[in-house]
Amino acid sequence: MAQEPAGFERQVSIGALQFTCGPTGLRHVRFGRTEVLAGVHLVVRDPFWGTLVPEVLETASSRDDGGGLAVRWRARHSDGEISFGWEGLIEARSAGPGEAELSFTVDGSAETEFLANRVGLCLLHPMALAGLPAETLAARDGEAGGAAGWKAGRFPADIAPWQPFLSFSGLRHPLPGGGTAEIIVTGDAFEMEDQRNWTDASFKSYCPPLDRPHPRRYLAGQRVTQQMRLRLSRPAGAAGTPGGTPGPAAARRTDGAATIAFKINDLKVGTLPAIGLGLAGADVLVTEADRELLRTLRPGHLHAVIDLGGGGWPDDLRRALDEAAALGCRADLEIVAAGPGELGEVAAALAPGGDRDEAARRVFVYERQSSQTTRELAAAWAASGFGAPSGGSRADFAQLNRAELATDLLNAVAFGVCPQVHATDDESIMETITAQPVAARCALALAQGHPLVVGPVTLTPRFNPVAPDAPRPEPCDPRQAMAITAAWTAGSIAALGYAGASALTYFETAGAGGVIAGGAPLPTGFPAPGAVYPVYHVLARLAPLAGRPLLAAQSQDPARVAGLAVDAGPGPLVVLANLGPEPVAVEVTSPFALAAGPRRLPTVALEPWQVAAIGG
């Protein structure tokens, strides 16, 4: 389910400083038109890196005559044996258009004895800082506060597999459009990771560093006190630029809806990837009527997990191949093994010359513990007589980025995507669309000429890569059956398609993680059996066009409106998605005659999360 903290949310503007404060801290800290921090939050992560959602107990705010603001609240993170109570204090002050200060202080204590991987502040730096210079102030003896001088560095342009900055107590960098941001953190040593590895649109500074033993035991009464202080300055006359938003700001109509331009030209920039589906769990009832709906999508493949760790894999293999045949496609088989010695039996089951030798389109081989394709596994599968397997990471791009990739033994490279690794709110999910093409382009560089397969792409995690032997989590997010997932999927297909992916796998055929409900009742919040989810209709328009040319297209504000144009013959198909909870108006211009005739169409009005298709 959507897990958004209950409590307060306030929009604050003090001089050139704007931000939103809420239950976990700060979001969207802007100085003029420039986003400086995407967020600053207190985070409690359990021993399996699960993120606890806080409960707000009390809030209060005050403003002084000097143009300052203070917001104070009490909250608690509690789940199972974990209970951590804390007080947050946000203080902001502006000293005119070119100076501002902002701080977030946390003072809390463990109310029970518990294990946790992290209790501390996390700072999210916008993805737009990629490639810009930065300086860090070293922490001393593992603690913040002792300075050994500022050290020059740079935010990574390509996605960094490991931490770009280690053990620091301060970070300073220029602002796009002029000016400087300086951040001082106290209470612990911080380090930074590149969250684009998980398709989050940010860099994250966090504590404690990962080289310390974890999970850490917190004793009842143990206190945690930390602070982030931000100082902003800008020369006179510098207004800054919108963080990560190209082009001019979208215009506002008189009814309050933003008007956003979407331009298409006749340049062909690759092809629409093949789009496949994941196999639903064995406990999901898929009726013949459901299969007829799924065949209409003309899926490019059916992706199935064959985990050799249990004795039931032959049944899983048989069901995957039978279901793929029923849908009129071939199977992509994700084989998970402890090591090369386990591959022999499944290879024999797929032996050439049998009735199954044409059933599998691709075979991916992954080591269970690392979620990666090791050289030993790839070599063992090739030696079985099937030729080179596909592989990379069955989890996130992070595992692909950190792998010793045996590209000489692979015929395609893959990684998975889930937008809820670190955050579960609607806005954070939508922001991952902007990071997906960066991950895809970096993956293509690692692939060294091999095709890129992205998937499975799922709304909720398929498994926990840091605890691969834990039971498979069941998908249970009612947003799977809502318009927001349709909009996110349309944006994701556009992002990954234009980035050069050859094939994509989305969700499952049916059930709580599917594109239709299937034939059995689902958890609370889902529609009745037989329902068709909004995301089904997105795939119905796009999946049958796999292999058709993509036409170059650009949204004036890609964080608000995503889209793509496909040369569908005889005319193009344009798919537009509103990525937000407010209506937008889209002005489409095209060198082609679309369904309505003129090259400049009447403005297309999109309701929150709506997906619209024109032409085709």
Side-chain angles (χ1 to χ4, degrees):
M1 292 182 62
Q3 296 185 14
E4 301 195 26
F8 70 101
E9 181 172 285
R10 296 177 184 170
Q11 309 288 331
V12 177
S13 180
I14 302 176
L17 180 65
Q18 303 104 40
F19 57 88
T20 301
C21 57
T24 59
L26 297 158
R27 293 199 71 163
H28 300 308
V29 179
R30 293 182 176 272
F31 192 46
R33 298 173 60 210
T34 301
E35 185 169 75
V36 181
L37 286 167
V40 184
H41 309 292
L42 176 70
V43 174
V44 177
R45 308 288 299 271
D46 70 21
F48 300 102
W49 295 104
T51 302
L52 276 66
V53 178
E55 173 192 7
V56 175
L57 305 177
E58 181 183 354
T59 64
S61 65
S62 63
R63 183 186 295 270
D64 65 29
D65 294 334
L69 173 74
V71 179
R72 189 185 302 271
W73 72 102
R74 292 192 307 110
R76 176 182 292 116
H77 284 79
S78 181
D79 185 28
E81 69 172 11
I82 298 176
S83 184
F84 182 80
W86 54 281
E87 181 176 273
L89 174 63
I90 292 171
E91 296 178 288
R93 182 176 298 277
S94 176
E99 301 284 341
E101 295 184 1
L102 177 65
S103 67
F104 178 29
T105 306
V106 167
D107 186 9
S109 61
E111 298 175 335
T112 57
E113 182 177 333
F114 58 83
L115 290 172
N117 281 336
R118 179 173 299 151
V119 176
L121 289 176
C122 286
L123 286 64
L124 303 181
H125 312 272
M127 190 174 73
L129 295 174
L132 294 183
E135 296 176 284
T136 54
L137 186 63
R140 182 179 61 192
D141 298 329
E143 294 293 331
W150 291 93
K151 179 181 179 181
R154 188 172 293 273
F155 286 94
D158 292 334
I159 302 176
W162 306 106
Q163 290 84 350
F165 301 118
L166 295 169
S167 192
F168 64 85
S169 61
L171 176 70
R172 185 164 62 196
H173 61 82
L175 295 172
T180 302
E182 181 179 290
I183 299 168
I184 301 296
V185 284
T186 59
D188 208 334
F190 281 68
E191 64 187 21
M192 181 185 291
E193 69 185 10
D194 192 336
Q195 288 210 128
R196 297 176 298 173
N197 278 295
W198 297 272
T199 67
D200 291 15
S202 60
F203 301 94
K204 180 173 71 178
S205 296
Y206 58 88
C207 66
L210 289 176
D211 61 1
R212 296 185 191 172
H214 57 276
R216 176 183 179 184
R217 183 169 298 279
Y218 290 82
L219 301 177
Q222 183 173 336
R223 193 172 179 185
V224 175
T225 303
Q226 297 175 2
Q227 184 184 67
M228 181 281 310
R229 298 194 307 274
L230 170 66
R231 297 187 181 95
L232 298 164
S233 61
R234 177 176 286 128
T241 59
T245 303
R252 279 267 164 198
R253 301 189 313 185
T254 56
D255 62 3
T259 301
I260 295 169
F262 188 83
K263 296 183 179 180
I264 304 163
N265 67 46
D266 56 2
L267 180 66
K268 294 179 180 179
V269 288
T271 59
L272 184 67
I275 300 174
L277 299 168
L279 178 67
D283 58 341
V284 176
L285 176 61
V286 181
T287 68
E288 189 53 38
D290 294 331
R291 292 189 181 93
E292 186 58 37
L293 282 170
L294 296 167
R295 281 191 287 268
T296 302
L297 298 179
R298 291 167 55 187
H301 53 271
L302 183 68
H303 186 103
V305 178
I306 311 299
D307 192 331
L308 306 183
W313 69 261
D315 292 337
D316 295 337
L317 177 61
R318 187 177 307 108
R319 186 172 70 91
L321 299 178
D322 289 345
E323 198 67 19
L327 298 185
C329 62
R330 293 166 69 184
D332 274 9
L333 301 178
E334 176 185 325
I335 299 176
V336 183
E342 290 187 348
L343 296 180
E345 287 188 66
V346 70
L350 292 168
D355 61 358
R356 299 295 193 182
D357 63 333
E358 296 293 328
R361 181 178 299 277
R362 282 175 290 256
V363 173
F364 305 81
V365 291
Y366 296 111
E367 182 186 66
R368 182 178 298 105
Q369 193 63 34
S370 67
S371 301
Q372 298 167 335
T373 303
T374 64
R375 174 170 289 277
E376 292 76 16
L377 276 177
W381 185 259
S384 69
F386 285 91
S390 301
S393 164
R394 69 182 294 251
D396 309 289
F397 176 74
Q399 282 75 15
L400 177 65
N401 207 16
R402 297 168 179 175
E404 295 181 6
L405 198 60
T407 52
D408 56 313
L409 297 177
L410 300 176
N411 61 21
V413 169
F415 69 92
V417 169
C418 172
Q420 297 193 71
V421 174
H422 294 114
T424 62
D425 61 282
D426 295 346
E427 186 177 9
S428 295
I429 288 173
M430 283 298 172
E431 287 172 352
T432 64
I433 292 172
T434 62
Q436 288 180 28
V438 182
R441 286 191 288 268
C442 289
L444 282 167
L446 294 172
Q448 298 183 3
H450 293 301
L452 174 64
V453 180
V454 180
V457 180
T458 56
L459 185 61
T460 57
R462 295 194 300 146
F463 67 100
N464 187 344
V466 299
D469 294 323
R472 175 183 182 268
E474 292 299 325
C476 190
D477 188 331
R479 288 175 295 186
Q480 181 75 32
M482 297 178 184
I484 184 173
T485 296
W488 182 82
T489 302
S492 174
I493 293 171
L496 296 169
Y498 282 121
S502 296
L504 310 172
T505 302
Y506 283 94
F507 310 122
E508 296 179 353
T509 53
V515 299
I516 59 177
L522 294 173
T524 301
F526 283 86
V532 174
Y533 301 162
V535 68
Y536 173 92
H537 301 291
V538 173
L539 299 184
R541 293 307 302 262
L542 292 174
L545 298 177
R548 299 292 303 176
L550 285 170
L551 302 171
Q554 183 177 24
S555 171
Q556 179 187 15
D557 188 347
R560 295 287 304 279
V561 171
L564 73 164
V566 186
D567 184 359
L573 170 70
V574 180
V575 174
L576 302 169
N578 180 356
L579 304 182
E582 298 179 350
V584 296
V586 185
E587 291 184 348
V588 181
T589 56
S590 168
F592 306 98
L594 299 176
R599 296 185 177 188
R600 180 181 289 273
L601 294 175
T603 299
V604 179
L606 295 178
E607 295 300 316
W609 317 121
Q610 183 182 353
V611 178
I614 307 167

